[in-house]
Amino acid sequence: MKIEELRKLREKVQEELKLRESIEPKVKIIVSMGTSGIAAGAREVLKAFLDEISKRGLKDVIVLQTGEKGLASAEPLVEVITPEASITYGRVTPEVARRIVVEHVINGRIVSEYVV
Amino acid sequence: MIQRAHVLVCMGAGCVSAGSELVKKRLEEKIKEKELDVEVRIIGTGCMGPCERGPIVLVYPEGAFYQKVGLSDVDLIVEEHLLKGRVVKELLAKDEAAVRVSKEEIPFFAKQEKIVLANCGVIDPENIEEYIAANGYEALARVLERMTPDEVISMMEKSNLRGRGGAGFPTGLKWRFVRSAKGEPKYVVCNGDEGDPGAFMDRAILEGDPHAVLEGMLIAAYAVGSKQGYIYVRAEYPLAIKRLQIAMEQARKYGFLGKNILDTGFSFDVELRIGAGAFVCGEETALLASIEGRRGMPRSKPPFPATHGLWGKPTLINNVETYANVRHIILNGPEWFRSFGTDSSSGTKVFALSGKVKNTGLIEVPMGITLREVVFDIGGGIINDGKFKAAQIGGPSGGCLTERHLDLPLTYESVKEAGAIVGSGGLIILDENTCMVELARYFLEFCQLESCGKCIPCRVGTKRMLEILERITQGAGKMEDINELERLGNWVQQASLCGLGQTAPNPVLSTVRYFREEYEAHVIQKKCPAKVCVSLIKYLILVEKCIGCGRCAKVCPVKAISGAIRKPHFINSEICVKCGECKKVCPVNAVIID
């Protein structure tokens, strides 16, 4: 290994360790995982988020879970917190989740038809 | 796929003995079962510190700090926290003020300054890439890329780093001695023969961040001009040995050990040597003899190992914690390092905090912190709200600090002035239930057994001292014994060949100095004020308290207790073996020790 290779390798693996620091990430995606959320398919939504984020190699985004939000009829609920605003989406499907990543997280355009 | 949660399971020695291996296995099974294994990563780490709370599980990104995790708790953590995102409150740290979710909020961590232990409990010690992610081997890269050996040594000198093995010798100066010594080849040796009872600092570093030690040795090797190193670890540390072996193997694979390191032309490799567990082998000349395959016995100095070390060649020998500091100094600069601690004692020190404090475990604090902060802020005070009596610092080579030293800053100089030594970092806190005479006897017995026997002051002197102490604790002491202990102790200190004998009398001398009245009570009144020394205590039943339930008589193994039911019972002290079982079962606390 050469010195440049060491530094490249570090950049690659460093991202994974960021999760263990208590630094606030730029974007937080919070999926409601109460009983009704899970029943409505929140697990699949969560997996879709993770998959899309890793496929696109996004940095500074973390996916969190939370409990019941109360609005059971609109589950699965997802809250996306960016420095600009905090938006709550309802009836999110895995496909919508992927759209949220591309349109909202990357391009900054809110997917308005799913906003609660 | 990216992972949304990291679950860190402490695999330090304390947590492993509390069952953390089973906890980790269960976590892995449970996560698979819930199909969370792609999105949640489980990592075994080195010691996180608060050992008495083990097994510890730390879940990120929330930083939820779960303690005393049992197997059924694992199911709860997986189902509630990892699946549904709800932190399991009942497993978090609690104190009077609040439930603490994250590690940083817990008072035990708040006053600590983690430099050497920064990776310990955070990264997976068996995965070199996690170490690289934490800036690992960057210090080595910088040194090889743009520093001359002299610049490295100057930097170490400016940092004011002093040997963490106990003596506190300036590290940079030692490196310079070896660099300028004549003779080839030169060797770099790591002293991992940690032997003090109750000390586990080096063990935790080797188990939790082995690459940091290797990197420190590599930088040292470049600075002094060495191609071959040895790490000496005691056989009693199998986990440290295993992780070191893994680390060395990975470092070779990634090209940090071996020939032409990082394509710079610099070559260095390390061999592991396992000590058979003799305390004296922590002494550098004995350790070197042991590496050479000879009997581990010290020789007189000078000549020092810097000029006449392994096989008579110039040898640099530093302690585990010293090497672990090196990369941080290179990365952050000597001024940064000196911003921790005091002028004469820079940086931090790792202590193994044990004894009668609420929070025991592994701590790292800036040097110059007061004993009060360590005992009451980090340690959480004395257990059962008892009274602080003394702190035994530096293990069997150290001495005790008393109540009046509570505000003493812990530096090499101030602790020495108080008649103790910082030593390698053992710190045992004692309360009112500790007999200082018995404590001194215990430590002296340890040194006496571990004396290699080469020099007479240590071999015979410690034996005679031990006999006197045994006499005193058995109630057969004479007044002149106390003075004789001091006289002999001073002789052994001055005339012994190596550090073992030179420091063996310390616990005795410092307890005589600060707790002379306790010695006198043993000798004159034949009483042990702390009620510890078996020969000097008597079990009694208080007639006015005894309800005559007969439980004590039932448990007494030698039938020393008699009395009619519902009438006060009595202990026949001629028969009593002082096992204390009666005291344990008495429902009204009628059994007392006199």
Side-chain angles (χ1 to χ4, degrees), chain A:
Chain A
M1 191 184 287
K2 292 191 175 133
I3 291 178
E4 311 87 73
E5 287 166 338
L6 165 70
R7 289 178 182 149
K8 256 188 219 140
L9 175 64
R10 182 170 65 235
E11 263 174 40
K12 197 186 124 227
V13 285
Q14 215 157 29
E15 212 43 46
E16 297 170 12
L17 243 64
K18 270 203 182 141
L19 207 57
R20 292 175 219 173
E21 293 163 12
S22 28
I23 304 166
E24 275 292 295
K26 221 167 78 203
V27 180
K28 275 200 233 177
I29 298 172
I30 308 170
V31 184
S32 269
M33 287 292 237
T35 310
S36 60
I38 294 177
R43 281 281 311 150
E44 295 310 311
V45 171
L46 180 94
K47 281 192 207 160
F49 271 118
L50 290 173
D51 186 53
E52 199 62 29
I53 290 167
S54 53
K55 252 200 234 156
R56 298 188 179 271
L58 298 188
K59 288 171 184 169
D60 242 5
V61 180
I62 72 167
V63 180
L64 293 166
Q65 306 176 101
T66 185
E68 202 82 35
K69 271 207 172 19
L71 193 59
S73 61
E75 291 279 8
L77 285 163
V78 174
E79 197 181 351
V80 177
I81 304 174
T82 57
E84 296 83 42
S86 154
I87 305 292
T88 305
Y89 293 103
R91 297 199 181 83
V92 179
T93 61
E95 291 70 42
V96 177
R98 289 176 199 278
R99 267 184 70 195
I100 291 173
V101 172
V102 179
E103 294 182 21
H104 187 168
V105 178
I106 300 179
N107 295 320
R109 284 197 314 266
I110 294 162
V111 188
S112 44
E113 64 259 48
Y114 289 95
V115 174
V116 175

Side-chain angles (χ1 to χ4, degrees), chain B residues 430-593:
Chain B
L430 313 164
D431 70 356
E432 295 276 272
N433 298 321
T434 313
C435 171
M436 301 310 280
V437 185
E438 168 57 25
L439 178 88
R441 191 205 60 78
Y442 169 78
F443 280 121
L444 192 72
E445 185 182 33
F446 177 84
C447 287
Q448 208 282 315
L449 282 169
E450 292 291 346
S451 172
C452 79
K454 184 170 180 177
C455 73
I456 297 157
C458 177
R459 183 180 73 226
V460 183
T462 56
K463 182 82 182 159
R464 294 289 95 85
M465 286 176 74
L466 183 62
E467 284 165 1
I468 295 175
L469 280 168
E470 278 169 350
R471 202 153 70 212
I472 294 177
T473 54
Q474 283 160 10
K478 300 177 288 243
M479 261 324 264
E480 55 267 33
D481 278 347
I482 303 174
N483 291 335
E484 180 64 10
L485 269 179
E486 282 191 306
R487 194 182 66 93
L488 261 177
N490 285 323
W491 275 12
V492 173
Q493 258 184 350
Q494 284 161 31
S496 290
L497 179 58
C498 82
L500 197 160
Q502 285 158 11
T503 59
N506 284 359
V508 181
L509 294 176
S510 86
T511 48
V512 171
R513 179 167 162 194
Y514 294 120
F515 296 94
R516 199 181 185 97
E517 69 288 348
E518 224 171 296
Y519 279 84
E520 286 169 358
H522 281 74
V523 172
I524 304 169
Q525 294 139 26
K526 310 285 175 208
K527 291 260 187 230
C528 173
K531 300 182 175 156
V532 172
C533 296
V534 174
S535 312
L536 302 179
I537 56 171
K538 217 158 69 180
Y539 280 83
L540 287 177
I541 294 175
L542 293 174
V543 177
E544 63 276 18
K545 269 197 175 174
C546 179
I547 51 170
C549 67
R551 286 189 207 178
C552 51
K554 235 181 228 165
V555 297
C556 180
V558 289
K559 304 266 172 288
I561 303 178
S562 57
I565 263 323
R566 298 217 178 83
K567 294 269 155 51
H569 282 49
F570 299 94
I571 300 176
N572 183 345
S573 48
E574 306 257 299
I575 307 173
C576 175
V577 289
K578 298 162 191 169
C579 66
E581 285 302 311
C582 49
K583 193 172 179 346
K584 276 187 218 155
V585 296
C586 181
V588 291
N589 291 327
V591 181
I592 58 156
I593 305 172

Side-chain angles (χ1 to χ4, degrees), chain B residues 232-252:
Chain B
Y232 191 90
V233 187
R234 59 208 300 252
E236 288 95 328
Y237 286 178
L239 190 61
I241 292 166
K242 185 186 134 207
R243 298 222 174 117
L244 261 175
Q245 279 167 335
I246 294 172
M248 283 158 57
E249 211 173 284
Q250 290 181 347
R252 271 189 210 109

Side-chain angles (χ1 to χ4, degrees), chain A residues 64-67, chain B residues 57 59-66 76-93 99-102:
Chain A
L64 293 166
Q65 306 176 101
T66 185
Chain B
V57 173
V59 182
Y60 284 104
E62 293 89 349
F65 191 85
Y66 296 121
L76 207 60
I77 292 172
V78 173
E79 273 160 40
E80 287 296 305
H81 188 158
L82 296 174
L83 186 66
K84 298 179 189 165
R86 282 180 280 222
V87 173
V88 186
K89 291 226 167 65
E90 46 288 25
L91 298 174
L92 296 172
V99 178
R100 317 275 182 172
V101 177
S102 80

Side-chain angles (χ1 to χ4, degrees), chain B residues 275-493:
Chain B
F279 184 58
V280 74
C281 285
E283 198 282 333
E284 54 186 12
T285 57
L287 185 147
L288 295 177
S290 180
I291 289 180
E292 290 172 10
R294 291 186 288 124
R295 184 171 166 181
M297 289 207 289
R299 60 163 173 81
S300 58
K301 292 186 282 191
F304 289 94
T307 53
H308 289 77
L310 267 184
W311 295 289
K313 303 295 179 189
T315 301
L316 174 71
I317 174 163
N318 280 139
N319 154 273
V320 169
E321 194 184 330
T322 314
Y323 282 125
N325 267 299
V326 171
R327 74 182 194 101
H328 299 284
I329 294 171
I330 301 285
L331 287 177
N332 302 301
E335 294 78 21
W336 167 85
F337 188 76
R338 281 209 317 270
S339 71
F340 301 97
T342 65
D343 287 344
S344 66
S345 305
S346 303
T348 58
K349 179 79 196 83
V350 181
F351 287 102
L353 184 63
S354 62
K356 304 287 181 68
V357 279
K358 286 179 187 150
N359 306 325
T360 57
L362 187 74
I363 62 167
E364 181 174 356
V365 290
M367 297 208 76
I369 194 173
T370 63
L371 188 58
R372 190 184 297 280
E373 288 170 285
V374 172
V375 175
F376 292 96
D377 296 341
I378 297 171
I382 305 295
I383 46 170
N384 301 325
D385 294 313
K387 201 166 165 284
F388 171 85
K389 184 174 187 177
Q392 174 72 23
I393 184 167
S397 316
C400 63
L401 301 174
T402 66
E403 217 184 335
R404 67 176 152 120
H405 299 120
L406 272 175
D407 292 306
L408 184 84
L410 296 176
T411 64
Y412 288 108
E413 285 74 22
S414 61
V415 174
K416 196 169 177 192
E417 229 164 80
I421 58 165
V422 171
S424 60
L427 190 55
I428 304 168
I429 310 301
L430 313 164
D431 70 356
E432 295 276 272
N433 298 321
T434 313
C435 171
M436 301 310 280
V437 185
E438 168 57 25
L439 178 88
R441 191 205 60 78
Y442 169 78
F443 280 121
L444 192 72
E445 185 182 33
F446 177 84
C447 287
Q448 208 282 315
L449 282 169
E450 292 291 346
S451 172
C452 79
K454 184 170 180 177
C455 73
I456 297 157
C458 177
R459 183 180 73 226
V460 183
T462 56
K463 182 82 182 159
R464 294 289 95 85
M465 286 176 74
L466 183 62
E467 284 165 1
I468 295 175
L469 280 168
E470 278 169 350
R471 202 153 70 212
I472 294 177
T473 54
Q474 283 160 10
K478 300 177 288 243
M479 261 324 264
E480 55 267 33
D481 278 347
I482 303 174
N483 291 335
E484 180 64 10
L485 269 179
E486 282 191 306
R487 194 182 66 93
L488 261 177
N490 285 323
W491 275 12
V492 173
Q493 258 184 350

Side-chain angles (χ1 to χ4, degrees), chain B residues 83-125:
Chain B
L83 186 66
K84 298 179 189 165
R86 282 180 280 222
V87 173
V88 186
K89 291 226 167 65
E90 46 288 25
L91 298 174
L92 296 172
K94 288 180 209 81
D95 57 32
E96 295 81 5
V99 178
R100 317 275 182 172
V101 177
S102 80
K103 200 171 120 184
E104 287 71 25
E105 292 170 23
I106 300 169
F108 177 80
F109 292 104
K111 279 230 168 166
Q112 296 193 46
E113 192 66 63
K114 298 218 174 186
I115 296 175
V116 170
L117 296 179
N119 280 342
C120 221
V122 178
I123 64 163
D124 179 354

